[in-house]
Amino acid sequence: MTKVILILHDLSVGSRRTNRDHVYNFSKYQKGNLYIFHCARAPITDELKQIDFDGVIINYCFLGNRAGGHYHQYKKGFAWIRDLNCPKIALCQDDYTDNEILDEWLDYMNITTIYSPIQENVNILYPINWGRKTFKLGLTAYTDSVEMDELQRYATPYKKRKFDVGTRVRYLPPQFGRYGRIKGETAEDFRDAADVAGFLTNISTDPQDVIFGSHWLKFVGNCRFTLGSKGGSSLCDPRGDIRKDISEYMVKNPDAGFTEVEKMCFPDLDNRYIFAGVSPRLFEAAALKTCQILIRDEYVGGLEEYVDYIPLDEDLSNLEEVFELMRDDDKCMAMTESCYQKLIASKQFDYGYFVDDVLSQIPEKKKSLPLKTIKLVEAHFEQLKPYSQLRKKCGGFTEQLWRRVLYFSEFSDVLDYAGSVSELPDGLSICPSAADHLMDLPMSTHTLCQVSEVLSYAKFFGAGTSEMKHILKLIVVERHNEGQWAFWWDMCEYIYEPLTVLAKPVVRQKPRVQKRTKKSAITKPVMNTRTKKKRATTKVSVKTTTSKSVRT
């Protein structure tokens, strides 16, 4: 049976792979359903609202808009979700950030199931929904059994690894409380002590030393040990007021330390509760068989101290014991193998298990797709067609280059930046016909200039005037306001994928009746297997693909 499922997200150029996997692995692990992936910034068509969805899944990147200045715009724009008569599932993250707004928004949309990565004190974050909705543990990332072989090729044999201990950690802003500083402080203190003890370390809290993508996996796979702990916050910021106060104070006092900021912005509010959950690094290290040194805590999968990892006291009081264990290769290799078996080989934290669990909340209502649903889906994507047409014209290396140009244009002069990065010829002048069309729209001069530049890039790629006008209408008139124009390229990638309806339902024909004659025997018509299946069922072919996103 085919389920029709709407998945709301807000992926962008800078989205991490873990976020993209969290969105697109539904179509990867449970094929045969009709998944409509819709970006928060994409136009909402009338046809989309009319589709009879079996379920709605709302990703945490979509819900992250609660903390932005456009929350009320998104709440109003997607208010129609609350009237859908189907299960609605929220996959949450960073629940402690603007938690009151999140709690109210989920209740407003009539969410039925809430997945949260927070392992304790969840009831404090959801006073409205707690006890009224179903709550389940949902991690920020899972293992991918389909790509496990690809992942493990980054692992260097344990005894041949270059570094003894390696990691990258960042200090979280003050609004995450003192708990958000534990990772950074522990990493720096451990590095200093390990260097003295003779270990070769590669540990940094400097943002300039961040390692991305496959380079990060190669790095972890080339370290014998890595440091880890849960991530989260010890400070609850119900409506973002603490964050705003901190931001204003830091502008006036840029050199203020955490203790000063706490005293001035949130005195006596920190450490009332700890809101924490495991991070994706727990599984990355396990898959790469890198021995983990973890701050003592309760982790998932039944991990045990000294069996699956080396425990580290938060105050580093057991460093000598840790260093002694690190020098015992046999014990450490045994721990990495045990950890691998519990977290990876068991597949209890695999995306396949998570996808099955989420989709089990959505019952099957129909045996096949109604023709009306197919027509609505096709009509919805037909309205978004100019995006996909333009994207096809701008593919390959040129696409990657210009997506970066547009993404960073907020922080520098657009044309100067484009010229310096791409070394393409000057003269990316504004398309006259598009500029004339812009003049009739109620926009400020600043917005007019910005959108004109965007359209000039589109013209450079060979887009027609009609395509640009359609794009302009969708971006500026219907959905976008000043400041959002730079994200139009993200929409080119995400709103028209990964769904393509390839075939209409096959209408079953009545078999021809062959007349009997006295002179000839009845001849049974020959029917191959494919023909038999085609006549016997009504079938819709649905293709799902996942686009490759460019990291910045």
Side-chain angles (χ1 to χ4, degrees), residues 8 11 74 125 168 174 199 237 241 258 261 283 322 333 340 375 378 391 398-399 419 421 423 440 454 468 470 506 552:
L8 298 177
L11 295 174
Y74 287 113
L125 300 173
R168 293 292 182 269
F199 292 99
D237 191 4
D241 296 327
F258 178 84
V261 174
F283 303 103
V322 171
M333 292 173 69
Y340 177 86
K375 287 184 176 180
E378 289 181 332
R391 185 169 183 253
T398 308
E399 172 192 343
V421 172
E423 298 182 356
D440 297 328
V454 173
M468 290 193 290
H470 194 145
V506 178
T552 57

Side-chain angles (χ1 to χ4, degrees), residues 9 12 32 61 72 75 98 143 190 213 221 243 261 265 323 339 358 366 382 397 404 428 440 453 499 532:
H9 66 86
S12 66
C61 57
H72 292 289
K75 182 180 179 181
D98 297 76
T143 61
F190 186 95
R243 181 179 66 254
V261 174
C265 300
F323 292 156
C339 184
V358 173
K366 32 190 159 331
E382 183 65 28
F397 173 76
R404 286 187 171 92
L428 297 179
D440 297 328
E453 288 170 351
L499 174 69
K532 190 178 291 184

Side-chain angles (χ1 to χ4, degrees), residues 385-391 393-394 428-438 441 443 450-477 488-489 492:
K385 205 169 184 179
Y387 288 94
S388 62
Q389 290 174 340
L390 182 60
R391 185 169 183 253
K393 291 182 179 180
C394 313
L428 297 179
S429 58
I430 296 171
C431 171
S433 58
D436 290 341
H437 184 66
L438 281 168
L441 298 174
M443 291 190 297
Q450 290 181 324
V451 178
S452 297
E453 288 170 351
V454 173
L455 291 178
S456 72
Y457 300 151
K459 186 64 177 177
F460 180 80
F461 291 134
T465 302
S466 60
E467 284 179 318
M468 290 193 290
K469 286 184 178 181
H470 194 145
I471 289 172
L472 179 66
K473 179 176 180 292
L474 292 175
I475 293 176
V476 179
V477 180
W488 76 279
W489 196 278
C492 289

Side-chain angles (χ1 to χ4, degrees), residues 4-18:
V4 183
I5 299 172
L6 174 64
I7 298 182
L8 298 177
H9 66 86
D10 197 16
L11 295 174
S12 66
V13 174
S15 295
R16 293 180 178 272
R17 178 176 176 175
T18 51

Side-chain angles (χ1 to χ4, degrees), residues 337-399:
E337 182 61 33
S338 178
C339 184
Y340 177 86
Q341 292 299 322
K342 290 181 179 179
L343 297 184
I344 308 300
S346 67
K347 294 188 177 182
Q348 62 174 319
F349 300 105
D350 187 74
Y351 263 115
Y353 176 85
F354 172 67
V355 167
D356 289 344
D357 186 60
V358 173
L359 295 185
S360 69
Q361 313 292 315
I362 302 174
E364 297 170 336
K365 295 193 298 186
K366 32 190 159 331
K367 293 183 178 180
S368 60
L369 289 176
L371 183 59
K372 178 182 177 181
T373 298
I374 296 173
K375 287 184 176 180
L376 287 172
V377 171
E378 289 181 332
H380 166 67
F381 284 108
E382 183 65 28
Q383 292 196 44
L384 309 182
K385 205 169 184 179
Y387 288 94
S388 62
Q389 290 174 340
L390 182 60
R391 185 169 183 253
K392 288 177 182 178
K393 291 182 179 180
C394 313
F397 173 76
T398 308
E399 172 192 343

Side-chain angles (χ1 to χ4, degrees), residues 301-340:
L303 295 188
E304 301 175 67
E305 298 177 356
Y306 304 106
V307 176
D308 307 295
Y309 67 93
I310 298 175
L312 177 66
D313 292 336
E314 188 175 322
D315 60 0
L316 306 187
S317 58
N318 68 329
L319 271 179
E320 290 304 319
E321 178 193 27
V322 171
F323 292 156
E324 183 179 350
L325 286 169
M326 289 172 63
R327 295 186 179 97
D328 191 331
D329 286 347
D330 292 337
K331 283 186 179 180
C332 292
M333 292 173 69
M335 280 189 273
T336 61
E337 182 61 33
S338 178
C339 184
Y340 177 86

Side-chain angles (χ1 to χ4, degrees), residues 284-299:
E284 291 171 346
L288 295 167
K289 294 192 175 180
T290 298
C291 190
Q292 302 189 64
I293 302 169
L294 303 177
I295 294 178
R296 294 184 190 273
D297 210 328
E298 292 292 328
Y299 294 93

